[in-house]
């Protein structure tokens, strides 16, 4: 991990596997990269509406306060989640969207935005239900804060043995999509291209 | 829920389904009983050793600080978890154990202790893997802080459709075992019988 403390929020519909995605990221950081992580899930009025949200904090030191106020990285898989949480994103932060489910009209200043058609990619490998792990692979490629190997181990460690192959395939699908996107942005001379796009559309 | 704030810790081995049990209790309280709940999982050095622990806070008001210092209720499914967390239990609290995996030698003063052979009960319905939901059913019966109906709905809401029947059977198994135990303790004229046992053995 590159920073002392990285705050992440993942949000979407219930049933999209938000919590598992958060747990995979937490495990990758803490168990496979030797850091610390907490994952907090709040159940409350918002959860009654069928939405789901988890907060993950990655740190190189024990974490004293596990709540995320302004995430550095926000991953959204539903329009409702995007509307609710995008305004909280830290300036200079990273916004990752399921691009066929989320349309972003206004970005906070300076945010880098990366979209992935995770549901479609999950369907391509036969199971829509692994869209969360496609998102996790994409997250790994565009943020670069955790090694893909740690993330792969955390995926394998977090799903039932019978589901491991499918989930690892989903991870690769998202990771490759993200890697190609980053190469393309770099080749266009804008490693920060998404940020500029965001500013342009703001 | 009977109290403004109830702090719960569930701990055991990795693979025992500690997190799912915690999520079921959180959902039952917040989604099906209209309260608030948070579930926090810490990944860190202890998780590297194959242990797993989750904290749940149930409240009638929004929760500002999701960390549990002294749980009111502690559920342990491994000896290591019992050794580590029992000293933190609140005086007057409730300790729930997987009685064939945990041997308690010293209890904090005044703690009520209830044991259930959850692994064996899970094996009786054919799948050891549902021991966490057997524990959840037992938790429901002995604590009485959530209605069994809310807990059943939360179980159904938290597992894949194909696993629903098995998990509901596991819940009933644990709930019935706990209900019979409470009736027996009551009949012996000691609704607080476990507490007295605890004191005697301390």
């Amino acid at each position: 991990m590159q920073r002392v403390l990285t705050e992440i929020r993942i949000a979407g519909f219930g049933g999209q596997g938000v919590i598992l995605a958060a747990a995979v990221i937490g495990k990758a950081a803490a168990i496979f990269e030797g850091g610390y992580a907490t994952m907090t899930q709040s159940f409350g009025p918002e959860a009654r509406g069928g939405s789901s949200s988890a907060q993950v904090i990655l740190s190189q030191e024990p974490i004293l306060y596990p709540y995320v106020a302004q995430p550095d990285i926000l991953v959204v898989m539903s329009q409702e989640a995007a509307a609710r949480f995008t305004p909280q994103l830290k300036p200079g932060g990273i916004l990752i969207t399921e691009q066929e489910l989320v349309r972003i009209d206004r970005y906070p200043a300076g945010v880098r935005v990366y979209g992935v058609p995770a549901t479609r990619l999950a369907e391509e490998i036969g199971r829509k239900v692994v869209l969360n792990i496609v998102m996790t692979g994409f997250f790994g490629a565009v943020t670069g804060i955790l090694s893909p190997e740690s993330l792969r181990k955390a995926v394998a460690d977090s799903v039932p043995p019978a589901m491991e192959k499918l989930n690892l395939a989903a991870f690769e699908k998202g990771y490759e999509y993200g890697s190609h996107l980053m190469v393309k942005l770099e080749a266009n001379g804008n490693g920060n291209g998404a940020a500029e796009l965001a500013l342009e559309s703001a």
Side-chain angles (χ1 to χ4, degrees), chain A:
Chain A
M1 282 176 286
Q2 299 159 337
R3 304 178 46 154
V4 173
L5 202 77
T6 304
E7 303 185 338
I8 303 164
R9 183 185 284 281
I10 305 178
F13 301 125
Q16 283 181 320
V18 159
I19 308 305
L20 181 62
V24 164
I25 291 167
K27 275 189 195 176
I31 303 180
F32 300 110
E33 300 204 354
Y36 293 83
T38 63
M39 194 267 282
T40 302
Q41 177 182 14
S42 292
F43 310 88
E46 70 284 4
R48 284 166 220 152
S51 68
S52 180
S53 157
Q55 310 173 100
V56 187
I57 300 183
L58 312 184
S59 173
Q60 287 161 3
E61 291 160 18
I63 296 159
L64 299 178
Y65 185 72
Y67 265 173
V68 168
Q70 280 197 304
D72 301 282
I73 303 169
L74 173 64
V75 180
V76 286
M77 307 191 217
S78 76
Q79 191 66 47
E80 189 188 332
R84 179 156 173 229
F85 295 115
T86 301
Q88 297 170 6
L89 194 54
K90 213 170 273 182
I94 294 176
L95 175 61
I96 295 174
T97 68
E98 205 304 353
Q99 70 183 27
E100 295 180 358
L101 297 176
V102 176
R103 182 193 152 87
I104 304 284
D105 292 320
R106 300 198 57 180
Y107 304 95
V111 162
R112 284 175 285 165
V113 185
Y114 304 101
V116 56
T119 309
R120 185 160 56 74
L121 294 176
E123 281 166 353
E124 280 176 25
I125 58 170
R127 291 289 300 278
K128 185 178 163 179
V129 75
V130 294
L131 91 114
N132 59 337
I133 303 299
V134 175
M135 293 295 296
T136 305
F138 184 73
F139 164 95
V142 303
T143 67
I145 58 168
L146 294 164
S147 81
E149 200 39 53
S150 299
L151 285 164
R152 276 184 204 107
K153 283 186 197 160
V155 169
D157 195 60
S158 303
V159 301
M163 295 291 115
E164 192 176 315
K165 204 176 150 193
L166 174 70
N167 280 278
L168 287 172
F171 178 85
E172 293 313 318
K173 201 86 176 170
Y175 191 80
E176 279 168 26
Y177 191 94
S179 301
H180 289 153
L181 178 64
M182 296 311 275
V183 167
K184 202 158 65 178
L185 289 173
E186 204 62 51
N188 288 345
N190 48 357
N192 268 331
E196 287 156 29
L197 281 175
L199 285 170
E200 277 163 22
S201 70

